[in-house]
C-alpha cells in the first residue's frame, strides 16, 4: 500500500512546463566593422557542463567564424570561445533535471565584410550529448560606407601669373573608400600645370587635374599640390572647384565638392 501511494504521488507531480525559447539579435541589421548582440533565454535538457552553441545556416557570407569575432558574453560560467565552426557560451545546467538558461553573446562583424545575410541557429550541448539545431534570428550585414569630403586652397603670385593649387580629399569613414578620384577644374585661362604628383594627370582641353588613390582608410587624407600657369593678359575672376568620387557608396554627397577663387589684377599679379 505504501509503495502504491508513493507511485501515485510520483504520477501526480506535474511535469516541468517548458517555456518558449527566446533568441534575438540586436541590431538585426549591422554594418561591417560594428557589433551585434545575441540574447538568449532557452529551456535546456539536463546535463552537466552545459554549453549553448551558435552557428549559421543559409549564409551568403560563409561560416560565422569566417567574418565575425568574439567580443564578449554574459550568463557564462567559464570563458566563451569557439569549437569547430561554432561559438559557445558555457552555462549553468543541472545534471539531474531540465532548466532554463539565459545570457548573451556579442560578436563583431569584420571590417571589409561584404553585404550579406545569415540565419543564426543554436543548440545545447553537455556531457550527455547535443540537441538538434534550432532556428534563431536572421542577421543582415551591410557593407561599410565611406564619407568623402574635399578642400580646395589657392595661393596667388605677385609676379609670374600663376596659381598654387592644393586639393585634398578626406575619408570621414566609417568604411574604407575604394577607387577614389579627385578632379579639380581650373580656370579657362590656365595654359599648363607644373609640379603634378605622380597620381595626377592634366587634361589641357578640359582644364582639369584628376588625382587617384586606390584606397583611402577611414580618417585618412590625400593632399595634392601643384602650380597652374595662366595665359598672358589673364584678368578677372579665376574660379577653381574640386569634386571627389569613389566606387564605395557615399551617402553624404553634399561635402564631396569644394571651391575657391582668385582674381588676376594684371597679367602678372594674382590675388587669392
Amino acid at each position: 500500500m505504501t509503495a502504491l501511494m508513493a507511485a501515485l504521488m510520483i504520477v501526480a507531480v506535474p511535469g516541468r512546463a517548458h517555456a518558449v525559447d527566446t533568441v534575438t539579435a540586436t541590431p538585426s541589421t549591422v554594418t561591417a566593422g560594428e557589433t551585434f548582440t545575441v540574447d538568449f533565454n532557452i529551456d535546456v535538457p539536463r546535463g552537466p557542463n552545459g554549453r549553448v552553441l551558435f552557428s549559421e545556416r543559409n549564409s551568403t557570407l560563409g561560416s560565422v567564424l569566417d567574418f565575425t569575432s568574439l567580443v564578449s558574453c554574459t550568463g557564462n560560467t567559464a570563458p566563451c570561445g569557439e569549437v569547430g565552426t561554432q561559438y559557445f557560451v558555457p552555462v549553468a545546467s543541472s545534471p539531474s533535471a531540465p532548466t532554463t538558461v539565459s545570457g548573451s553573446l556579442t560578436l563583431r562583424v569584420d571590417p571589409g565584410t561584404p553585404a550579406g545575410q545569415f540565419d543564426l541557429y543554436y543548440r545545447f550541448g553537455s556531457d550527455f550529448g547535443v540537441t538538434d539545431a534550432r532556428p534563431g534570428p536572421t542577421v543582415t550585414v551591410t557593407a561599410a560606407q565611406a564619407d568623402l569630403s574635399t578642400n580646395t586652397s589657392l595661393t596667388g603670385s605677385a609676379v609670374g601669373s600663376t596659381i598654387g593649387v592644393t586639393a585634398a580629399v578626406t575619408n570621414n569613414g566609417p568604411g574604407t573608400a575604394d577607387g577614389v578620384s579627385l578632379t579639380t577644374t581650373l580656370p579657362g585661362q590656365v595654359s599648363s600645370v607644373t609640379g603634378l604628383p605622380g597620381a595626377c594627370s592634366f587634361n589641357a582641353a578640359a582644364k582639369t587635374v584628376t588625382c587617384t588613390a586606390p584606397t583611402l582608410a577611414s580618417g585618412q587624407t590625400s593632399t595634392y599640390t601643384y602650380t597652374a600657369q595662366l595665359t598672358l593678359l589673364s584678368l578677372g575672376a579665376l574660379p577653381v572647384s574640386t569634386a571627389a568620387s569613389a566606387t564605395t557608396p557615399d551617402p553624404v554627397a553634399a561635402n564631396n565638392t569644394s571651391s575657391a577663387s582668385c582674381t588676376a589684377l594684371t597679367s602678372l599679379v594674382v590675388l587669392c
Side-chain angles (χ1 to χ4, degrees):
M1 185 64 176
T2 302
L4 178 61
M5 289 297 294
L8 290 174
M9 289 176 65
I10 292 173
V11 171
V13 174
R16 183 176 185 271
H18 288 272
V20 176
D21 291 352
T22 302
V23 181
T24 60
T26 306
S28 58
T29 298
V30 59
T31 300
E34 297 180 345
T35 64
F36 67 96
T37 298
V38 181
D39 293 294
F40 60 88
N41 185 74
I42 61 176
D43 264 21
V44 298
R46 67 188 183 92
N49 298 316
R51 297 186 295 179
V52 181
L53 302 111
F54 295 94
S55 59
E56 86 299 317
R57 289 191 181 180
N58 306 317
S59 173
T60 62
L61 301 169
S63 166
V64 68
L65 267 64
D66 291 339
F67 60 90
T68 65
S69 55
L70 176 61
V71 176
S72 62
C73 59
T74 65
N76 54 304
T77 57
C80 300
E82 305 172 6
V83 56
T85 59
Q86 304 172 95
Y87 288 109
F88 69 87
V89 181
V91 292
S93 56
S94 171
S96 58
T99 187
T100 299
V101 295
S102 300
S104 68
L105 177 72
T106 298
L107 302 176
R108 184 182 306 280
V109 179
D110 297 335
T113 299
Q117 192 176 68
F118 64 96
D119 297 329
L120 191 67
Y121 273 62
Y122 66 97
R123 66 180 73 194
F124 178 76
S126 72
D127 291 353
F128 291 172
V130 181
T131 64
D132 292 334
R134 306 170 191 173
T138 297
V139 179
T140 301
V141 177
T142 59
Q145 296 177 325
D147 173 23
L148 298 180
S149 63
T150 67
N151 182 71
T152 305
S153 60
L154 308 173
T155 56
S157 59
V159 291
S161 194
T162 61
I163 301 174
V165 181
T166 299
V169 55
T170 299
N171 178 13
N172 300 311
T176 296
D178 296 321
V180 178
S181 179
L182 187 69
T183 300
T184 299
T185 301
L186 303 172
Q189 298 94 318
V190 170
S191 60
S192 62
V193 173
T194 59
L196 275 180
C200 303
S201 61
F202 174 55
N203 185 322
K207 307 298 183 185
T208 58
V209 171
T210 300
C211 305
T212 59
T215 61
L216 202 62
S218 177
Q220 185 178 1
T221 298
S222 286
T223 302
Y224 308 95
T225 299
Y226 45 89
T227 300
Q229 179 69 51
L230 301 175
T231 58
L232 293 175
L233 304 179
S234 294
L235 295 172
L238 302 169
V240 177
S241 62
T242 301
S245 64
T247 57
T248 305
D250 184 347
V252 186
N255 59 354
N256 286 23
T257 60
S258 60
S259 61
S261 183
C262 298
T263 301
L265 299 181
T266 70
S267 59
L268 293 179
V269 179
V270 179
L271 297 181
C272 299

